[in-house]
Short mmCIF file of all heavy atoms in Angstrom, two decimals:
data_model
loop_
_atom_site.label_atom_id
_atom_site.label_comp_id
_atom_site.label_asym_id
_atom_site.label_seq_id
_atom_site.Cartn_x
_atom_site.Cartn_y
_atom_site.Cartn_z
N ALA A 14 102.40 84.55 102.08
CA ALA A 14 102.10 84.02 100.76
C ALA A 14 100.84 83.16 100.74
O ALA A 14 100.11 83.16 99.77
CB ALA A 14 103.27 83.22 100.22
N SER A 15 100.57 82.43 101.83
CA SER A 15 99.44 81.53 101.87
C SER A 15 98.11 82.23 101.65
O SER A 15 97.17 81.64 101.12
CB SER A 15 99.41 80.73 103.19
OG SER A 15 100.57 79.91 103.30
N GLU A 16 98.03 83.48 102.10
CA GLU A 16 96.82 84.25 101.94
C GLU A 16 97.03 85.46 101.07
O GLU A 16 96.14 86.35 100.99
CB GLU A 16 96.29 84.69 103.31
CG GLU A 16 95.89 83.51 104.18
CD GLU A 16 95.23 83.92 105.47
OE1 GLU A 16 95.11 85.16 105.73
OE2 GLU A 16 94.80 83.04 106.24
N ASN A 17 98.14 85.53 100.39
CA ASN A 17 98.48 86.65 99.51
C ASN A 17 98.29 88.01 100.21
O ASN A 17 97.70 88.94 99.66
CB ASN A 17 97.62 86.58 98.24
CG ASN A 17 98.12 87.51 97.15
OD1 ASN A 17 99.33 87.74 97.03
ND2 ASN A 17 97.22 88.01 96.33
N LYS A 18 98.77 88.07 101.44
CA LYS A 18 98.65 89.30 102.23
C LYS A 18 99.99 90.01 102.31
O LYS A 18 101.00 89.40 102.65
CB LYS A 18 98.17 88.96 103.64
CG LYS A 18 96.74 88.48 103.70
CD LYS A 18 96.31 88.21 105.13
CE LYS A 18 94.84 87.75 105.20
NZ LYS A 18 93.92 88.81 104.73
N VAL A 19 99.96 91.29 102.02
CA VAL A 19 101.15 92.11 102.09
C VAL A 19 100.83 93.32 102.97
O VAL A 19 99.75 93.91 102.91
CB VAL A 19 101.58 92.60 100.67
CG1 VAL A 19 102.83 93.49 100.76
CG2 VAL A 19 101.83 91.39 99.75
N GLN A 20 101.80 93.72 103.78
CA GLN A 20 101.66 94.94 104.54
C GLN A 20 102.97 95.74 104.43
O GLN A 20 104.05 95.16 104.25
CB GLN A 20 101.34 94.68 106.02
CG GLN A 20 102.40 93.91 106.79
CD GLN A 20 102.06 93.74 108.24
OE1 GLN A 20 101.23 94.47 108.79
NE2 GLN A 20 102.68 92.77 108.90
N TYR A 21 102.84 97.05 104.52
CA TYR A 21 103.95 97.93 104.35
C TYR A 21 104.10 98.87 105.52
O TYR A 21 103.09 99.28 106.13
CB TYR A 21 103.84 98.75 103.09
CG TYR A 21 103.74 97.96 101.80
CD1 TYR A 21 102.52 97.64 101.24
CD2 TYR A 21 104.91 97.50 101.18
CE1 TYR A 21 102.45 96.91 100.06
CE2 TYR A 21 104.82 96.76 100.01
CZ TYR A 21 103.62 96.46 99.46
OH TYR A 21 103.55 95.76 98.29
N SER A 22 105.33 99.22 105.85
CA SER A 22 105.54 100.36 106.73
C SER A 22 105.14 101.64 105.98
O SER A 22 105.07 101.68 104.77
CB SER A 22 107.02 100.44 107.13
OG SER A 22 107.37 99.31 107.95
N GLY A 23 104.88 102.68 106.76
CA GLY A 23 104.37 103.92 106.19
C GLY A 23 105.21 104.49 105.06
O GLY A 23 104.68 104.92 104.04
N PHE A 24 106.51 104.49 105.24
CA PHE A 24 107.36 105.11 104.26
C PHE A 24 107.36 104.34 102.91
O PHE A 24 107.71 104.89 101.88
CB PHE A 24 108.81 105.23 104.77
CG PHE A 24 109.54 103.93 104.89
CD1 PHE A 24 110.20 103.38 103.81
CD2 PHE A 24 109.57 103.21 106.12
CE1 PHE A 24 110.87 102.16 103.91
CE2 PHE A 24 110.24 102.03 106.20
CZ PHE A 24 110.90 101.48 105.11
N ALA A 25 106.98 103.07 102.99
CA ALA A 25 107.07 102.24 101.81
C ALA A 25 105.73 102.06 101.08
O ALA A 25 105.68 101.57 99.95
CB ALA A 25 107.59 100.85 102.17
N LYS A 26 104.67 102.52 101.70
CA LYS A 26 103.32 102.19 101.22
C LYS A 26 103.04 102.60 99.79
O LYS A 26 102.43 101.83 99.01
CB LYS A 26 102.27 102.82 102.17
CG LYS A 26 100.85 102.46 101.81
CD LYS A 26 99.90 102.98 102.89
CE LYS A 26 99.93 104.46 102.98
NZ LYS A 26 98.94 104.98 103.99
N ASP A 27 103.47 103.75 99.37
CA ASP A 27 103.14 104.27 98.06
C ASP A 27 104.25 104.11 97.03
O ASP A 27 104.01 104.32 95.82
CB ASP A 27 102.78 105.75 98.15
CG ASP A 27 101.51 105.97 98.97
OD1 ASP A 27 100.56 105.16 98.86
OD2 ASP A 27 101.47 106.95 99.71
N ARG A 28 105.44 103.73 97.44
CA ARG A 28 106.57 103.67 96.51
C ARG A 28 107.14 102.27 96.33
O ARG A 28 107.80 102.01 95.34
CB ARG A 28 107.69 104.61 96.98
CG ARG A 28 107.31 106.08 96.97
CD ARG A 28 108.56 106.92 97.18
NE ARG A 28 109.12 106.69 98.51
CZ ARG A 28 110.34 106.20 98.76
NH1 ARG A 28 111.13 105.90 97.71
NH2 ARG A 28 110.76 106.07 99.97
N PHE A 29 106.91 101.40 97.30
CA PHE A 29 107.52 100.07 97.26
C PHE A 29 106.43 98.99 97.09
O PHE A 29 105.32 99.14 97.59
CB PHE A 29 108.28 99.76 98.55
CG PHE A 29 109.49 100.63 98.78
CD1 PHE A 29 109.84 101.68 97.96
CD2 PHE A 29 110.33 100.33 99.87
CE1 PHE A 29 110.96 102.44 98.17
CE2 PHE A 29 111.47 101.11 100.11
CZ PHE A 29 111.77 102.15 99.27
N THR A 30 106.78 97.94 96.40
CA THR A 30 105.86 96.83 96.20
C THR A 30 106.57 95.51 96.44
O THR A 30 107.62 95.24 95.88
CB THR A 30 105.27 96.81 94.76
OG1 THR A 30 104.59 98.04 94.52
CG2 THR A 30 104.31 95.67 94.61
N ILE A 31 106.00 94.67 97.29
CA ILE A 31 106.52 93.36 97.57
C ILE A 31 105.69 92.32 96.81
O ILE A 31 104.47 92.39 96.82
CB ILE A 31 106.51 93.05 99.10
CG1 ILE A 31 107.45 93.98 99.82
CG2 ILE A 31 106.83 91.58 99.36
CD1 ILE A 31 107.35 93.88 101.33
N SER A 32 106.36 91.40 96.16
CA SER A 32 105.68 90.36 95.43
C SER A 32 106.43 89.05 95.56
O SER A 32 107.62 89.04 95.96
CB SER A 32 105.49 90.74 93.98
OG SER A 32 106.73 90.94 93.33
N LEU A 33 105.82 87.96 95.19
CA LEU A 33 106.39 86.63 95.30
C LEU A 33 106.18 85.87 93.99
O LEU A 33 105.09 85.87 93.44
CB LEU A 33 105.76 85.85 96.46
CG LEU A 33 106.29 84.46 96.72
CD1 LEU A 33 107.71 84.51 97.26
CD2 LEU A 33 105.36 83.72 97.67
N ASP A 34 107.22 85.24 93.53
CA ASP A 34 107.16 84.30 92.45
C ASP A 34 107.46 82.93 93.04
O ASP A 34 108.60 82.56 93.22
CB ASP A 34 108.15 84.63 91.34
CG ASP A 34 107.96 83.77 90.10
OD1 ASP A 34 107.48 82.62 90.23
OD2 ASP A 34 108.33 84.23 88.99
N SER A 35 106.40 82.21 93.41
CA SER A 35 106.60 80.91 94.09
C SER A 35 107.29 79.91 93.20
O SER A 35 108.02 79.05 93.71
CB SER A 35 105.22 80.37 94.56
OG SER A 35 104.34 80.18 93.48
N GLY A 36 107.08 79.99 91.92
CA GLY A 36 107.75 79.05 91.02
C GLY A 36 109.24 79.21 90.98
O GLY A 36 109.98 78.26 90.73
N LYS A 37 109.69 80.42 91.22
CA LYS A 37 111.12 80.71 91.27
C LYS A 37 111.65 80.81 92.71
O LYS A 37 112.85 81.05 92.87
CB LYS A 37 111.42 82.02 90.53
CG LYS A 37 111.13 81.96 89.05
CD LYS A 37 111.52 83.26 88.37
CE LYS A 37 111.27 83.20 86.88
NZ LYS A 37 111.62 84.47 86.20
N ASN A 38 110.80 80.58 93.67
CA ASN A 38 111.20 80.70 95.09
C ASN A 38 111.89 82.04 95.34
O ASN A 38 112.96 82.12 95.95
CB ASN A 38 112.08 79.55 95.50
CG ASN A 38 111.37 78.24 95.52
OD1 ASN A 38 110.20 78.16 95.91
ND2 ASN A 38 112.04 77.18 95.11
N ALA A 39 111.27 83.09 94.85
CA ALA A 39 111.87 84.42 94.95
C ALA A 39 110.86 85.46 95.39
O ALA A 39 109.71 85.45 94.90
CB ALA A 39 112.48 84.83 93.62
N MET A 40 111.25 86.27 96.32
CA MET A 40 110.47 87.44 96.73
C MET A 40 111.18 88.69 96.23
O MET A 40 112.38 88.80 96.25
CB MET A 40 110.35 87.47 98.24
CG MET A 40 109.60 88.70 98.77
SD MET A 40 109.39 88.74 100.57
CE MET A 40 111.10 88.87 101.12
N TYR A 41 110.36 89.64 95.79
CA TYR A 41 110.90 90.86 95.18
C TYR A 41 110.49 92.08 95.94
O TYR A 41 109.43 92.12 96.56
CB TYR A 41 110.43 91.00 93.74
CG TYR A 41 110.76 89.83 92.85
CD1 TYR A 41 109.80 88.90 92.52
CD2 TYR A 41 112.06 89.61 92.41
CE1 TYR A 41 110.09 87.79 91.71
CE2 TYR A 41 112.37 88.53 91.61
CZ TYR A 41 111.38 87.64 91.26
OH TYR A 41 111.71 86.53 90.48
N LEU A 42 111.32 93.07 95.92
CA LEU A 42 110.99 94.39 96.41
C LEU A 42 111.21 95.38 95.28
O LEU A 42 112.37 95.69 94.91
CB LEU A 42 111.86 94.74 97.61
CG LEU A 42 111.63 96.16 98.20
CD1 LEU A 42 110.20 96.29 98.74
CD2 LEU A 42 112.68 96.45 99.29
N GLN A 43 110.11 95.84 94.70
CA GLN A 43 110.19 96.85 93.64
C GLN A 43 110.09 98.23 94.26
O GLN A 43 109.15 98.53 94.99
CB GLN A 43 109.06 96.63 92.63
CG GLN A 43 109.05 97.63 91.47
CD GLN A 43 110.22 97.40 90.55
OE1 GLN A 43 110.42 96.31 90.03
NE2 GLN A 43 111.01 98.44 90.34
N MET A 44 111.05 99.05 93.96
CA MET A 44 111.15 100.37 94.56
C MET A 44 111.10 101.46 93.46
O MET A 44 111.78 101.30 92.42
CB MET A 44 112.42 100.54 95.39
CG MET A 44 112.52 99.49 96.51
SD MET A 44 114.08 99.62 97.42
CE MET A 44 115.22 98.98 96.20
N HIS A 45 110.36 102.49 93.71
CA HIS A 45 110.27 103.63 92.78
C HIS A 45 110.56 104.92 93.50
O HIS A 45 110.36 105.03 94.70
CB HIS A 45 108.87 103.69 92.13
CG HIS A 45 108.49 102.51 91.36
ND1 HIS A 45 109.01 102.25 90.11
CD2 HIS A 45 107.63 101.49 91.64
CE1 HIS A 45 108.49 101.13 89.63
NE2 HIS A 45 107.64 100.64 90.54
N GLY A 46 111.00 105.89 92.76
CA GLY A 46 111.26 107.21 93.31
C GLY A 46 112.24 107.21 94.46
O GLY A 46 112.02 107.86 95.50
N LEU A 47 113.33 106.53 94.28
CA LEU A 47 114.33 106.38 95.34
C LEU A 47 114.96 107.72 95.72
O LEU A 47 115.19 108.58 94.83
CB LEU A 47 115.41 105.40 94.94
CG LEU A 47 114.94 103.95 94.86
CD1 LEU A 47 116.02 103.07 94.20
CD2 LEU A 47 114.62 103.41 96.26
N THR A 48 115.21 107.90 96.98
CA THR A 48 115.83 109.10 97.51
C THR A 48 117.02 108.69 98.37
O THR A 48 117.17 107.52 98.75
CB THR A 48 114.84 109.92 98.36
OG1 THR A 48 114.60 109.22 99.58
CG2 THR A 48 113.55 110.12 97.63
N PRO A 49 117.90 109.64 98.73
CA PRO A 49 119.02 109.27 99.57
C PRO A 49 118.60 108.67 100.90
O PRO A 49 119.34 107.89 101.51
CB PRO A 49 119.74 110.61 99.78
CG PRO A 49 119.45 111.36 98.51
CD PRO A 49 118.06 110.97 98.16
N GLU A 50 117.41 109.00 101.39
CA GLU A 50 116.92 108.42 102.63
C GLU A 50 116.65 106.93 102.51
O GLU A 50 116.52 106.26 103.53
CB GLU A 50 115.62 109.14 103.07
CG GLU A 50 115.84 110.57 103.59
CD GLU A 50 116.21 111.53 102.47
OE1 GLU A 50 115.74 111.39 101.30
OE2 GLU A 50 116.99 112.48 102.76
#
C-alpha cells in the first residue's frame, strides 16, 4: 500500500483486481469470469 504496488499471479492477472480502502482498513479482491477452477 505504501507505494500502491500490486502484483498478480498469472491466472489472476486479467480477471482479478486487488485494491485497498485505507479509510475502511479493508482490502478487496474483485473477481470476474469465475470458473470452477
Side-chain angles (χ1 to χ4, degrees):
S15 296
E16 297 187 357
N17 194 31
K18 291 183 179 295
V19 180
Q20 63 176 341
Y21 300 97
S22 294
F24 71 85
K26 184 172 63 177
D27 296 321
R28 295 190 297 117
F29 294 7
T30 301
I31 295 172
S32 61
L33 180 71
D34 187 335
S35 58
K37 295 182 178 180
N38 293 322
M40 178 178 63
Y41 303 103
L42 178 63
Q43 181 68 55
M44 302 177 288
H45 299 285
L47 291 169
T48 72
E50 289 70 34

